[in-house]
């Protein structure tokens, strides 16, 4: 199949390129916009208690005031507010309401702080458009207007709240994407220049993957709208890295093989056909593993991860198709001039360093397996200290952003839990009015829960069938203590509910509690499903039942080592209270899926060496010698591109950038180079049962150079070839 694809695109390169350009223009011109949403509650399904509580609030208290934006005032000298200052706050609040800004429903004064240094203006917006572009624009206008109205006073005013957080997150995301994009471009450009010493080859993948990126983003926007998925601005930053990192990997696999076929004496166009034929299975298998792992996120209960899975799968799918069609078409048009001005493509490298490493694995596979495995196990011990944090908004932007400053100042000026109180909704189950005489005792029981600052009955709906009890926690909503406390509030709220009533607990801490439960559900479902599907791909590729087990086990160890190192660096080293809650799921999928790519390349090359009649240990040594250079190059580029996410300046992408880049480095330089080949050498022929894929095959007379004499750039090389490039 891959030979047929290669023949078609090499025979019709211009039409292939034109087809891609037409597709790019059509998709980009018609694709819908991809709005961002930082509202954690939108990521949970309706079956969770916090979401049921939110829906009940909308029905029972449709006019309830829930601020989407908060203007926080303090004196410029940091002192207590004077009577004149309080008059200015009242005037600004009144004039702000009189502007009738789109999406703004109410503007009312808030409570002053106990120390008299802070005052607030609370702004309610249409809850149906939370996190959407309309409210982001409204927050931008509000921030400008409130600052203009405060000019000439002694007041310093800042705008916070969910709408302002969405605005700041969007701004932070654009800056982060720019830094990540520039960093990714520079790393790929410089690394490819060092590897190939050819400017055309260094620039070409950036241009081609840029085209693929535009198409992939358009397709993702279509899918998001079609299937009504949640969107988050962090996905755009991740997509940049996935597209350019994985795309460059596939470009490298193809170009190493193309160069090898030219060295073997193939005519340039035939060399590209043979390259697609030989490397196509490796690229397709590697991409298939990544796509399936990402699609496993569809099983997640969190909307953010549900959207991320298909988005990343679409990106990798588009990159795969480009790797088999667009890149071969463009390179076949340019021909060997693509390597200009370097002459190194004409001669075979010795790969002395990798040959030495290969001899080490060949002579001492048991020692290599033990040492490399020990490194992974020791790093994995750090997972025991893992702790999750749930504040997605603050994790998605720097603490210096205005809305984050407001959040921190409010926690200091008011009760830590006052900024996001917990609500307990008590409703009658028979439709009859509630017994108000029981409210006092019920509120008292809620207030007695450990971690609760106070509890009071706030309001009853018009029918008298639902009462809202406001419970203020002693802790900030996203902290572990608040989440534990709200769990106890739920227990008491349910057990102490009078006969004929039921209770639902809502609020941000309740949402975070449910997110915690949802993530734990994902650990039990997404992880094993992704591992099982990747094992199926490995089994089909290698025609083996044995090899997939220890390959996926080695990648699992790589995941443990990655999470452990991330915990040690960010929690122990930098003092973070925890890692972002979805990080282990994302890390697992990236490390397992992409780590499997490098295992596929190495183990497939080892199989080819074994088919030449070599014993398992010798085959492992030769595989490392010939596949090592490309695994090292691809691993370095991909790890470095993911590391650019640390430039974004927010906790989520910094943690994710380090974790995934470290995991890929472990996958390439520990697992694929040492752990996997040494284990395969120790297991021997049994690794290929029942397919016996390592058995030597008869070769055609007068065959060309076999694997031991080839550069083996992509790790999936050849058995022997005849001059036309057919398999021997």
């Amino acid at each position: 199949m891959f030979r047929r694809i290669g023949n078609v695109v090499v025979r019709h390169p211009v039409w292939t390129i034109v087809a891609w350009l037409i597709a790019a223009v059509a998709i980009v011109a018609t694709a819908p916009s991809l709005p961002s949403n930082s509202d954690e509650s939108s990521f949970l399904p309706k079956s969770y208690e916090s979401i049921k509580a939110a829906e009940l609030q909308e029905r029972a208290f449709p006019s309830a005031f829930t601020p989407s934006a908060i203007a926080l005032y303090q004196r410029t000298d940091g002192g207590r507010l004077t009577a004149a200052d309080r008059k200015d706050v009242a005037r600004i609040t009144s004039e702000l309401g009189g502007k009738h800004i789109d999406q703004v429903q109410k503007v009312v004064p808030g409570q002053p702080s106990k120390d008299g240094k802070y005052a607030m203006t609370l702004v309610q917006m249409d809850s149906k458009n939370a996190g959407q572009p309309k409210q982001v624009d409204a927050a931008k206008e509000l921030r400008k207007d409130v600052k203009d109205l405060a000019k000439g006073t002694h007041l310093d005013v800042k705008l916070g709240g969910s709408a302002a957080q969405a605005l700041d997150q969007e701004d932070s995301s654009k800056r982060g994407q720019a830094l990540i994009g520039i960093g990714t471009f520079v790393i790929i450009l410089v690394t490819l220049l060092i590897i190939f010493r050819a400017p055309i080859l260094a620039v070409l993948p950036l241009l081609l993957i840029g085209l693929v990126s535009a198409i992939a983003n358009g397709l993702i926007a279509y899918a998001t709208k079609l299937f009504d998925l949640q969107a988050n601005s962090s996905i755009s930053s991740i997509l940049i890295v996935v597209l350019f990192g994985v795309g460059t990997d596939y470009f490298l696999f193809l170009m190493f093989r193309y160069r090898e076929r030219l060295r073997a004496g193939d005519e340039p166009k035939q060399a590209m056909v043979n390259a697609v034929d030989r490397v196509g299975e490796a690229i397709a298998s590697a991409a298939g593993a990544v796509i399936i792992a990402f699609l496993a996120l569809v099983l997640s209960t969190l909307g953010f991860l549900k959207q991320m899975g298909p988005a990343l799968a679409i990106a990798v799918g588009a990159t795969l198709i480009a790797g088999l069609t667009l890149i071969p078409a463009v390179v076949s048009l340019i021909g060997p001039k693509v390597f200009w001005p370097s002459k190194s493509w004409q001669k075979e490298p010795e790969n002395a360093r990798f040959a030495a490493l290969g001899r080490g694995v060949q002579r001492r596979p048991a020692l290599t397996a033990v040492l490399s495995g020990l490194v992974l196990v020791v790093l994995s011990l750090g997972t025991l200290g893992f702790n999750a944090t749930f504040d997605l908004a603050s994790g998605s932007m720097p603490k210096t952003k205005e809305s984050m400053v407001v959040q921190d100042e409010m926690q200091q000026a008011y009760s830590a839990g006052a900024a996001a109180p917990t609500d307990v909704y008590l409703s009658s189950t028979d439709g009859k009015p509630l017994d108000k005489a029981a409210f006092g005792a019920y509120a008292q029981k809620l207030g007695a829960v450990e971690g609760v600052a106070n509890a009071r009955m706030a309001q009853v709906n018009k029918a008298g069938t639902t009462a809202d009890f406001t419970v203020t926690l002693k802790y900030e909503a996203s902290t572990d203590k608040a989440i534990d406390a709200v769990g106890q509030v739920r227990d008491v709220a349910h057990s102490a509910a009078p006969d004929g009533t039921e209770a639902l607990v809502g609020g941000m801490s309740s949402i975070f509690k449910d997110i915690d439960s949802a993530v734990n559900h994902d650990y039990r479902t997404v992880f094993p499903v992704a591992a099982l599907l990747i094992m199926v791909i490995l089994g089909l590729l290698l025609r083996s039942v044995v090899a997939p087990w220890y390959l996926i086990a080695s990648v699992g160890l790589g995941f443990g080592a990655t999470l452990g190192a991330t915990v040690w660096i960010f929690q122990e080293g930098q003092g973070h209270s925890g890692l972002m809650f979805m990080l282990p799921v994302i890390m697992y999928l990236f490390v397992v899926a992409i780590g499997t790519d490098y295992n596929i390349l190495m183990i497939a090359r080892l199989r080819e060496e074994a088919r030449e009649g070599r014993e398992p240990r010798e085959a492992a040594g030769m595989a490392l010698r010939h596949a090592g250079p490309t695994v090292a190059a691809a691993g370095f580029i991909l790890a470095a591109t993911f590391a650019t996410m640390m430039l974004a300046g927010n906790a989520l992408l910094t943690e994710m950038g380090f974790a995934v880049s470290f995991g890929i480095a472990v996958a390439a330089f520990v697992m694929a180079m040492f752990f996997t080949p040494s284990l395969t050498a120790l297991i021997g022929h049994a690794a290929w049962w029942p397919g016996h894929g390592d058995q030597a095959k008869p070769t055609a007379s007068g065959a060309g150079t076999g694997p031991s004499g080839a550069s083996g750039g992509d790790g999936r090389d050849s058995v022997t070839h005849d001059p036309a490039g057919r398999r021997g």
Side-chain angles (χ1 to χ4, degrees):
M1 179 181 77
F2 297 107
R3 174 168 287 275
R4 287 198 295 271
I5 292 173
N7 272 318
V8 170
V9 298
V10 170
R11 191 179 299 131
H12 306 290
V14 175
W15 285 113
T16 302
I17 296 168
V18 168
W20 271 91
L21 292 173
I22 291 174
V25 171
I27 292 172
V28 172
T30 59
S33 60
L34 190 63
S36 173
N37 196 341
S38 60
D39 180 11
E40 286 89 345
S41 65
S42 67
F43 300 143
L44 285 168
K46 295 182 178 180
S47 58
Y48 282 88
E49 181 169 349
S50 59
I51 306 305
K52 290 180 179 179
E55 292 176 342
L56 175 60
Q57 181 214 322
E58 289 183 6
R59 294 195 305 270
F61 306 103
S63 59
F65 190 90
T66 304
S68 299
I70 300 170
L72 185 67
Y73 306 88
Q74 66 178 133
R75 281 186 62 85
T76 52
D77 59 9
R80 291 173 62 90
L81 297 174
T82 65
D85 294 330
R86 290 192 289 273
K87 284 184 179 180
D88 284 331
V89 170
R91 174 186 58 80
I92 293 171
T93 302
S94 175
E95 291 184 14
L96 199 60
K99 288 183 176 291
H100 303 294
I101 298 171
D102 181 43
Q103 296 296 306
V104 172
Q105 296 176 329
K106 287 183 182 178
V107 180
V108 300
Q111 292 291 324
S113 62
K114 291 181 180 179
D115 60 10
K117 293 183 177 181
Y118 293 87
M120 294 187 295
T121 293
L122 306 179
V123 181
Q124 180 176 325
M125 297 187 189
D126 187 351
S127 60
K128 295 178 181 178
N129 293 325
Q132 299 303 311
K134 288 181 179 180
Q135 287 202 3
V136 172
D137 293 340
K140 188 174 184 179
E141 189 173 349
L142 272 170
R143 180 171 285 170
K144 178 182 178 300
D145 287 348
V146 76
K147 289 181 185 297
D148 287 343
L149 290 171
K151 286 180 180 178
T153 70
H154 296 288
L155 296 172
D156 176 50
V157 59
K158 303 181 187 73
L159 190 75
S162 59
Q165 287 176 356
L167 171 63
D168 289 341
Q169 188 182 50
E170 183 180 87
D171 178 65
S172 178
S173 174
K174 288 178 181 177
R175 176 181 174 275
Q177 285 181 44
L179 290 172
I180 290 170
I182 293 169
T184 300
F185 273 51
V186 170
I187 287 170
I188 293 174
L189 189 66
V190 172
T191 308
L192 291 179
L193 277 172
I194 293 172
I195 293 173
F196 292 108
R197 300 181 184 87
I200 297 176
L201 268 182
V203 173
L204 194 59
L206 297 175
L207 296 176
L208 298 182
I209 299 168
L211 177 65
V212 176
S213 175
I215 292 175
N217 275 291
L219 292 175
I220 290 165
Y222 273 120
T224 300
K225 185 175 182 180
L226 181 64
F227 297 106
D228 193 27
L229 300 170
Q230 298 296 335
N232 185 275
S233 55
S234 298
I235 292 177
S236 299
S237 300
I238 299 169
L239 278 173
I240 293 173
V241 178
V242 169
L243 283 161
F244 283 90
V246 173
T248 304
D249 263 12
Y250 298 162
F251 180 83
L252 277 175
F253 301 161
L254 185 68
M255 294 313 301
F256 269 86
R257 186 52 57 88
Y258 177 59
R259 184 175 66 178
E260 181 185 333
R261 295 313 311 149
L262 289 173
R263 287 169 176 167
D266 288 357
E267 180 271 329
K269 289 189 178 296
Q270 189 61 45
M272 181 53 72
V273 174
N274 291 339
V276 174
D277 178 34
R278 303 297 173 79
V279 83
E281 185 181 15
I283 293 178
S285 300
V290 178
I291 290 170
I292 281 181
F294 288 158
L295 285 177
L297 284 175
V298 172
L299 300 175
S300 170
T301 51
L302 293 171
F304 171 71
L305 295 178
K306 274 181 177 289
Q307 196 268 348
M308 178 181 285
L312 296 178
I314 289 170
V316 175
T319 307
L320 166 63
I321 296 170
L324 297 177
T325 59
L326 179 62
I327 294 173
V330 173
V331 174
S332 67
L333 273 181
I334 301 172
K337 291 180 181 178
V338 75
F339 296 105
W340 178 88
S342 174
K343 303 290 185 183
S344 62
W345 66 273
Q346 298 173 349
K347 58 184 179 182
E348 193 71 45
E350 295 181 0
N351 290 341
R353 294 176 184 174
F354 290 96
L357 292 174
R359 287 192 297 271
V361 171
Q362 180 177 338
R363 291 170 186 165
R364 298 181 181 85
L367 180 62
T368 304
V370 169
L371 289 178
S372 54
L374 190 60
V375 169
L376 299 176
V377 170
V378 169
L379 288 173
S380 297
L381 294 177
T383 60
L384 299 176
F386 170 72
N387 187 45
T389 58
F390 298 89
D391 191 353
L392 186 60
S394 63
S396 300
M397 69 186 98
K399 288 287 187 181
T400 54
K401 284 293 185 182
E402 186 170 326
S403 59
M404 292 295 98
V405 173
V406 170
Q407 179 173 290
D408 291 341
E409 290 183 349
M410 283 190 64
Q411 289 173 18
Q412 295 170 10
Y414 297 83
S415 170
T422 295
D423 288 288
V424 177
Y425 298 102
L426 188 68
S427 300
S428 64
T429 55
D430 55 9
K432 295 180 180 179
L434 296 168
D435 179 11
K436 295 182 180 181
F439 288 173
Y442 189 66
Q444 189 174 4
K445 290 179 181 179
L446 294 175
V449 174
E450 185 177 354
V452 172
N454 61 74
R456 61 183 178 84
M457 203 287 291
Q459 58 183 329
V460 180
N461 69 339
K462 291 181 180 179
T465 54
T466 300
D468 174 13
F469 293 82
T470 299
V471 178
T472 304
L473 303 179
K474 296 178 181 178
Y475 319 108
E476 194 274 320
S478 64
T479 61
D480 288 340
K481 289 182 177 179
I483 293 169
D484 291 340
V486 86
Q488 295 180 51
V489 169
R490 282 185 178 181
D491 292 339
V492 172
H494 297 159
S495 62
D499 292 339
T501 67
E502 64 176 2
L504 291 174
V505 180
M508 289 309 303
S509 293
S510 184
I511 288 170
F512 293 138
K513 176 73 174 175
D514 286 339
I515 287 177
D516 190 26
S517 301
V519 170
N520 289 330
H521 166 271
D522 290 349
Y523 291 161
R524 297 189 298 269
T525 54
V526 176
F527 282 23
V529 167
L532 180 63
L533 293 176
I534 290 174
M535 283 181 65
V536 170
I537 286 183
L538 288 171
L540 293 173
L541 171 67
L542 302 175
R543 316 306 194 262
S544 167
V545 172
V546 177
W549 283 99
Y550 68 83
L551 289 177
I552 203 69
S554 72
V555 176
L557 268 178
F559 163 75
T562 303
L563 181 57
T566 308
V567 168
W568 275 336
I569 287 177
F570 288 96
Q571 288 186 206
E572 306 299 331
Q574 296 190 10
H576 289 196
S577 60
L579 304 178
M580 197 55 61
F581 67 90
M582 81 280 281
L583 186 64
V585 177
I586 295 171
M587 187 192 306
Y588 175 84
L589 293 165
F590 276 109
V591 174
V592 170
I594 296 174
T596 301
D597 282 7
Y598 299 134
N599 269 344
I600 285 174
L601 294 171
M602 186 61 73
I603 199 75
R605 179 59 193 241
L606 194 154
R607 178 182 63 179
E608 298 295 348
E609 293 292 345
R611 284 177 174 175
E612 289 298 302
R614 295 183 175 84
E615 288 302 310
R617 292 192 179 197
E618 184 186 2
M622 295 302 294
L624 180 53
R625 174 185 176 182
H626 297 304
T630 301
V631 170
F636 172 79
I637 288 179
L638 197 58
T641 51
F642 271 102
T644 61
M645 293 170 67
M646 298 173 71
L647 300 173
N650 66 65
L652 173 62
L653 293 180
T654 298
E655 292 172 2
M656 193 183 300
F658 170 81
V660 177
S661 60
F662 184 86
I664 289 168
V666 167
F669 296 102
V670 179
M671 289 190 301
M673 285 198 186
F674 298 106
F675 195 61
T676 296
S678 59
L679 271 182
T680 306
L682 287 172
I683 296 171
H685 296 292
W688 307 99
W689 183 87
H692 304 296
D694 65 330
Q695 290 183 349
K697 294 187 177 182
T699 57
S701 58
T705 305
S708 60
S711 68
D714 56 76
R716 275 280 307 133
D717 196 66
S718 36
V719 290
T720 52
H721 321 298
D722 63 17
R726 294 184 293 270
R727 292 184 185 274

